[in-house]
Amino acid sequence: MTRRFAILAAVGTIALAACSDNTGSDGEEAVTDLDRVASDGAAEAAAKALPAGDFAELTLGAKIAGPRGEDVEGALSNAAGNFADIRSYVACPAGIDPCDPASAPAGTVFTYVHVVHPGEDNDPSTGDGEGNTSSDVERASEFRLTMPAHGFTGQAGYSKAEALAAIGAKADVVVTCHEGGIVWTVNAGDGGDQWEQAEPLTFYWQSTVPPAGPRDAYAIFANYTAAHGPGPYPAADEAAGNACTAPRAAG
């Protein structure tokens, strides 16, 4: 798994977040462009990236209330300890309340949302809390599904405001597919601010398949190691398809 993370980290050369020169010709700070490719050399990698939406632009309806409530909280961990706090939920489109997959209209698109805090969120009542054993995360560079994204529509993204708050104007988040799953590569370059300890970053993806229950289907790459944990996950549904495995149109 670590080798796969290293391979995908190379995709982080795409600047979907900001250009390296952040000053306009009049000396004023230029507006950050989170979706601009920084160089011609990144064009090939950019062709493999999915359009990254902004979580702030979503209008969601009610959340699904599963066996563990509306929010699924936990830790992303490995044998060395916990490396991130994760809170996840699944919401229906705006106007659907309550959000019950059994009565939702055919074709309903469910939004899977994951709020990830490297280390922990400093709230002992949630997530890994007092069980946190890696409370000094200096660099987190990737969040991903480790299993196929059943029913994935091709729509995914993250909170661009949170990325800017955590990393600054050089924030670089690229969304790609790998073995049927979704990967968010967070690249802040060398030195300076990184996505690090207790800085929340929200990721989302959309599926036509509702969650079947929590699964250990999510991972973070933090402090140069992979750590895994639970979140809502859809059951396999061949009829629903998966944008990460469907052929992509040329052009």
Side-chain angles (χ1 to χ4, degrees), residues 41-55:
E44 181 178 354
K48 299 178 182 179
L50 299 173
D54 188 350
F55 182 69

Side-chain angles (χ1 to χ4, degrees), residues 2-214:
T2 299
R3 180 179 66 83
R4 292 176 185 168
F5 275 114
I7 292 171
L8 283 163
V11 181
T13 56
I14 309 171
L16 295 185
C19 56
S20 58
D21 182 355
N22 204 45
T23 304
S25 58
D26 57 0
E28 297 182 358
E29 184 174 331
V31 176
T32 298
D33 182 357
L34 290 172
D35 296 307
R36 192 178 71 82
V37 175
S39 68
D40 292 340
E44 181 178 354
K48 299 178 182 179
L50 299 173
D54 188 350
F55 182 69
E57 296 179 356
L58 295 182
T59 303
L60 302 177
K63 300 177 183 178
I64 293 176
R68 293 171 57 178
E70 293 184 342
D71 297 312
V72 177
E73 299 175 343
L76 301 175
S77 63
N78 60 26
N82 298 335
F83 283 80
D85 185 84
I86 181 171
R87 177 175 60 86
S88 305
Y89 61 88
V90 182
C92 279
I96 298 181
D97 188 1
C99 182
D100 182 358
S103 59
T108 295
V109 173
F110 301 93
T111 301
Y112 288 69
V113 180
H114 312 281
V115 184
V116 181
H117 292 77
E120 62 171 326
D121 64 358
N122 297 319
D123 182 351
S125 68
T126 64
D128 54 41
E130 295 179 354
N132 176 69
T133 55
S134 181
S135 61
D136 187 16
V137 172
E138 297 180 349
R139 175 181 294 194
S141 59
E142 186 174 297
F143 176 69
R144 64 155 58 195
L145 274 80
T146 59
M147 301 171 69
H150 304 303
F152 178 41
T153 64
Q155 300 300 310
Y158 62 99
S159 171
K160 296 186 178 182
E162 289 176 351
L164 288 172
I167 305 169
K170 61 177 181 172
D172 176 4
V173 180
V174 181
V175 185
T176 56
C177 293
H178 181 67
E179 296 185 350
I182 308 166
V183 182
W184 292 262
T185 301
V186 182
N187 184 6
D190 294 327
D193 285 341
Q194 301 289 327
W195 180 33
E196 55 193 334
Q197 173 70 20
E199 293 180 331
L201 193 48
T202 300
F203 305 92
Y204 76 88
W205 60 288
Q206 296 184 325
S207 172
T208 56
V209 182

